[in-house]
Amino acid sequence: MKKWLTSNKWKIVISSVAVLLPMLVGIIFWNELPDMMVTHWGADQVPDGMSGKGVAVFALPITMLILHLLCIFATTFDKRNRDQNRKVIDLCFWIMPILSLAVNGMMYATAFEQNLNMIALLPVLLGVLMTVIGNYMPKAKQNRTFGIKIDWTFGNEENWNKTHRFAGRLWVIGGLLMIATAFMPAKWMFAILLADVLVICLVPTVYSYSIYRSHKKRGIEYHDIPASKSEKVAIKITLIILAILLPALAIIMFTGDVTYDVTDSAIIVDASYSSAITANFDAIDSVEYRENLDFGARTWGFGSARLLVGTFQNEEFGTYTLYAYTCSDEAVVIKSGDKVLVISGKNEQETKALYNEINSKLK
């Protein structure tokens, strides 16, 4: 591994610098950038996630650099990549730099108020990436880090080669189709993107199995390719991390509640995975019940499939505090001076009851 890293040290350095180039752009134009920058867009092209300038300029490229280095070192763990096709290895070096430049480029374009169609750019970027990967798939030799990595392709070199020639063509077609969806209505785009991804992932697996079945009928043997010690360690660590992270992520994404304690002098709002906030009644200027309120974009805090909690920003309130359920279209707006607190229950009935309870204490 040391020899491999030494021979590729300049590629590692240059590609890593490329990943961090957007950070240099942010430093140069620091004074011209807004304090809050859009870092996420919803399916309707409306920004629904924002970060402070420091996070956008520094944290995002550094995170991508960490992922880039992890990909490189994962490739070095596989001894089969010592004799791997150089073009395949080069692809591993340059995927993350290209993604970093493209994603951060879109972020900076938005910060400088350039009108970009983000929903169209996403399938174009993914489609180009899929097309490039598909073009390199037939060139890949058997390995555990790139390609269709299943028992049937590992067990027989002919199966590997046929499967990757087939998968390469399929990925190129899938990539071109993904690019074409950029010109379709959004409601069709995402359905086709999902179907596209499922096809390019599942069909090559089925194709490989059909080759395996054909080989078995003809008496062609398949051999197990044991993983090296370093590969086994890497696999175990990955499985442990996934076993911990995936259930935890599922729990966080689909559980949690917002709770309200209305006393004679204040309302205390608390939420799972976040801290509590208190609004004293003697400092409240007004309380409104609102329907179909645009929450805007989150600038700090927590967001999941169930809850939206933290600091948000929209055109009406500017920066404000939100404690709400994602399934609720109704909300209670509490104003105190230049501060705004927006809260909601799980449904219309709970939100109305909360509004009435607060009003009863203010009278």
Side-chain angles (χ1 to χ4, degrees), residues 12 39 52 332 342-343 350:
I12 297 173
T39 51
V332 179
V342 178
I343 57 179
E350 284 193 10

Side-chain angles (χ1 to χ4, degrees), residues 60-193:
L60 294 183
I62 289 174
T63 299
M64 299 190 83
L65 174 63
I66 293 172
L67 294 174
H68 174 59
L69 295 176
L70 285 175
C71 290
I72 291 175
F73 286 111
T75 303
T76 65
F77 273 121
D78 191 348
K79 292 182 178 180
R80 298 168 193 82
N81 283 326
R82 302 296 186 272
D83 300 318
Q84 184 60 266
N85 186 294
R86 297 305 305 172
K87 292 182 178 180
V88 173
I89 296 297
D90 288 343
L91 181 63
C92 295
F93 276 105
W94 294 107
I95 284 181
M96 196 57 68
I98 292 172
L99 285 176
S100 178
L101 293 172
V103 172
N104 286 284
M106 290 188 287
M107 180 187 69
Y108 283 126
T110 302
F112 289 121
E113 299 182 350
Q114 299 297 311
N115 188 19
L116 298 179
N117 187 341
M118 295 301 174
I119 300 305
L121 286 173
L122 175 63
V124 170
L125 177 61
L126 294 177
V128 170
L129 184 61
M130 285 172 52
T131 303
V132 172
I133 293 175
N135 184 60
Y136 281 89
M137 269 192 177
K139 301 177 176 67
K141 299 177 182 179
Q142 284 178 309
N143 71 95
R144 291 186 180 273
T145 53
F146 179 87
I148 312 300
K149 304 179 291 295
I150 51 181
D151 288 344
W152 308 309
T153 55
F154 283 143
N156 181 273
E157 188 174 359
E158 182 184 358
N159 190 314
W160 173 280
N161 292 334
K162 286 185 175 180
T163 297
H164 283 76
R165 284 197 294 269
F166 172 79
R169 291 192 292 268
L170 191 64
W171 274 59
V172 169
I173 294 171
L176 294 175
L177 176 61
M178 193 170 285
I179 294 172
T181 63
F183 305 97
M184 300 179 182
K187 63 179 181 179
W188 294 106
M189 177 192 300
F190 290 101
I192 294 174
L193 286 178

